Amino acid sequence: MKTILITNNAIKQLTPADFEPWDHYVKNHSQGSFFHLSGWQQVISKSFNHDCYFLYIEHEGNIAGVLPLVEVKSKLFGHALISTPFCVYGGAIADTTEQVRKLEQEACQLAEKLSVDYLELRYQEKQDSALLLKQAHSSFGCELAEDKEQILASIKKKQRAVIRHSLKNELSFSLESGKANLADFYQLLSTSYRNLGTPIFSKAYFENLVEVFGDNVDIAVIKNKEEQLSSAVMNFYFNEQVLPYYGGGNASARGLKSADFMYYQVMCNASERGYRWYDFGRSKNDSGPYKYKKNWGMEPKSLYYYYHLVNATELPNLSPNNPKYKIFIQLWQKLPLKVSQIIGPFLSKFLG
């Protein structure tokens, strides 16, 4: 393990012996997130076989800053060092601004050494950084009221009417930790991804998320009155937050308003369990999902993604809106579901 001395701090790489102090640091840092947790090193390594470089600063025997980095290398989609791929947040967190910049500096040096196309650091807050900035996404969230009626009242009037409509559709809500709902969830998510023209992850990836993060992950499944599947979502829990992260549905979802029903039930369930913040995740600015989340009454909060270009000459654009992916997306949407489930994981592992 390589150690580089920086004044009175030492930058080291995460080992299994450091998992507990790393996670303790993340959970107690104001900018710490679910996506900074050490478990992502295990999940990403096991699911995708990407090389992970989870760096931390040690000061007087204690962790004083962390930066999870993953190398994603593909002939088709490029070669990058990212904090953190498959996650909406990342970037360095530390005791001081100077230590954040030191971790970034180390990341830039690592990116040069690995000869990647670019380094990408995904921050929730604006940084006083010399790195290139791109603001293409926003996050959404809101405080959770203490009961169902107050939660419903806090939602924007038009969306509140949609939820009231869904409550009349005799939908069932099943929420389970572990793998109990995993098969139904994967079927619905695969259907949704195929319809969007997006390669689905392997089922093993979601199994690894459940295994590594344990009770901090659960899956909600919505069925109609005939017990037929409609919508599902995998939720992450961190400190006082709930994050409905991977969600999808089939053709019945729109008419039944099952996604609206599902997200409302997730909010209510989390509130009952003492969670106080609902993180509705990231959406590309002015996209359909962006407008959908605004309809709930949540205000967009800009995300700050910073880049250091190594071999690349311009900022990356892996967005589905990129014209060069248009034909690929149209072809993917026509694939049989089973075929998309077989081929998808070979591509999605590089779309971090």
Side-chain angles (χ1 to χ4, degrees):
M1 178 174 59
K2 184 179 179 182
T3 301
I4 301 174
L5 293 178
I6 300 176
T7 62
N8 294 321
N9 302 304
I11 292 185
K12 299 182 177 181
Q13 286 194 34
L14 178 69
T15 68
D18 307 313
F19 287 170
E20 187 174 340
W22 174 293
D23 288 343
H24 178 79
Y25 184 83
V26 169
K27 291 173 184 177
N28 287 278
H29 194 284
S30 62
Q31 296 301 314
S33 74
F34 185 84
F35 305 109
H36 285 94
L37 293 172
S38 65
W40 285 98
Q41 184 193 64
Q42 303 167 67
V43 169
I44 291 173
S45 296
K46 190 174 181 180
S47 304
F48 308 120
N49 201 33
H50 295 323
D51 289 330
C52 296
Y53 302 87
F54 277 42
L55 309 180
Y56 69 90
I57 287 182
E58 186 176 77
H59 178 64
E60 297 181 353
N62 297 310
I63 290 179
V66 304
L67 175 55
L69 292 164
V70 179
E71 183 182 12
V72 181
K73 188 175 185 179
S74 163
K75 290 183 179 179
L76 185 60
F77 300 111
H79 185 191
L81 186 64
I82 306 173
S83 177
T84 312
F86 316 105
C87 302
V88 294
Y89 313 135
I93 58 172
D95 289 355
T96 68
T97 300
E98 180 187 6
Q99 289 167 329
V100 169
R101 300 287 87 82
K102 293 293 185 182
L103 284 165
E104 288 181 352
Q105 184 181 62
E106 177 66 14
C108 290
Q109 291 173 1
L110 179 59
E112 299 276 354
K113 181 179 178 181
L114 295 172
S115 192
V116 299
D117 295 328
Y118 60 90
L119 165 72
E120 178 179 309
L121 304 176
R122 302 175 175 179
Y123 285 103
Q124 294 187 69
E125 305 294 337
K126 189 173 184 180
Q127 303 293 307
D128 182 18
S129 174
L131 300 176
L132 297 172
L133 173 62
K134 183 177 181 179
Q135 293 174 265
H137 298 88
S138 295
S139 63
F140 293 81
C142 67
E143 295 281 351
L144 285 174
E146 295 185 0
D147 61 54
K148 292 184 176 183
E149 290 72 23
Q150 290 179 25
I151 290 173
L152 190 58
S154 70
I155 296 170
K156 207 170 180 178
K157 185 177 179 180
K158 187 176 179 180
Q159 181 59 33
R160 188 163 67 240
V162 174
I163 294 171
R164 290 192 188 281
H165 181 186
S166 75
L167 294 172
K168 299 176 182 178
N169 289 335
E170 300 181 58
L171 301 173
S172 66
F173 173 76
S174 169
L175 187 70
E176 299 284 349
S177 56
K179 298 180 181 180
N181 279 339
L182 190 58
D184 289 343
F185 160 77
Y186 191 69
Q187 181 72 9
L188 288 163
L189 192 71
S190 299
T191 300
S192 188
Y193 272 44
R194 189 277 311 274
N195 292 344
L196 290 169
T198 303
I200 186 64
F201 298 106
S202 67
K203 189 176 181 182
Y205 168 57
F206 298 103
E207 291 173 341
N208 291 333
L209 283 168
V210 169
E211 182 179 330
V212 170
F213 291 111
D215 291 339
N216 293 315
V217 175
D218 62 25
I219 296 172
V221 172
I222 308 301
K223 297 180 181 179
N224 65 14
K225 61 183 178 181
E226 284 83 28
E227 291 297 302
Q228 296 169 326
L229 295 172
S230 187
S231 290
V233 64
M234 176 176 279
N235 307 297
F236 299 151
Y237 297 86
F238 177 80
N239 288 350
E240 293 189 336
Q241 307 166 29
V242 57
L243 303 82
Y245 199 64
Y246 288 112
N250 58 26
S252 73
R254 182 182 294 272
L256 291 172
K257 313 297 182 187
S258 60
D260 308 278
F261 176 84
M262 176 177 69
Y263 291 125
Y264 171 62
Q265 295 297 336
V266 168
M267 295 173 85
C268 294
N269 180 271
S271 176
E272 289 175 7
R273 292 161 58 187
Y275 293 93
R276 300 273 65 93
W277 183 260
Y278 181 78
D279 186 334
F280 215 175
R282 177 190 79 174
S283 292
K284 188 171 180 60
N285 293 341
D286 298 321
S287 65
Y290 176 99
K291 294 172 184 175
Y292 174 72
K293 292 171 184 179
K294 280 198 74 173
N295 284 342
W296 284 70
M298 302 176 198
E299 288 302 315
K301 182 176 182 292
S302 185
L303 293 176
Y304 300 86
Y305 288 10
Y306 288 86
Y307 296 85
H308 171 61
L309 302 184
V310 181
N311 291 321
T313 57
E314 59 184 13
L315 295 176
N317 181 13
L318 296 179
S319 167
N321 296 329
N322 189 331
K324 75 177 184 178
Y325 298 130
K326 185 176 181 180
I327 294 177
F328 171 83
I329 290 172
Q330 291 173 342
L331 291 173
W332 197 269
Q333 290 171 324
K334 297 177 182 179
L335 287 178
L337 181 62
K338 193 64 181 177
V339 174
S340 75
Q341 291 174 332
I342 294 171
I343 302 175
F346 291 100
L347 298 172
S348 60
K349 66 181 289 186
F350 302 115
L351 296 172

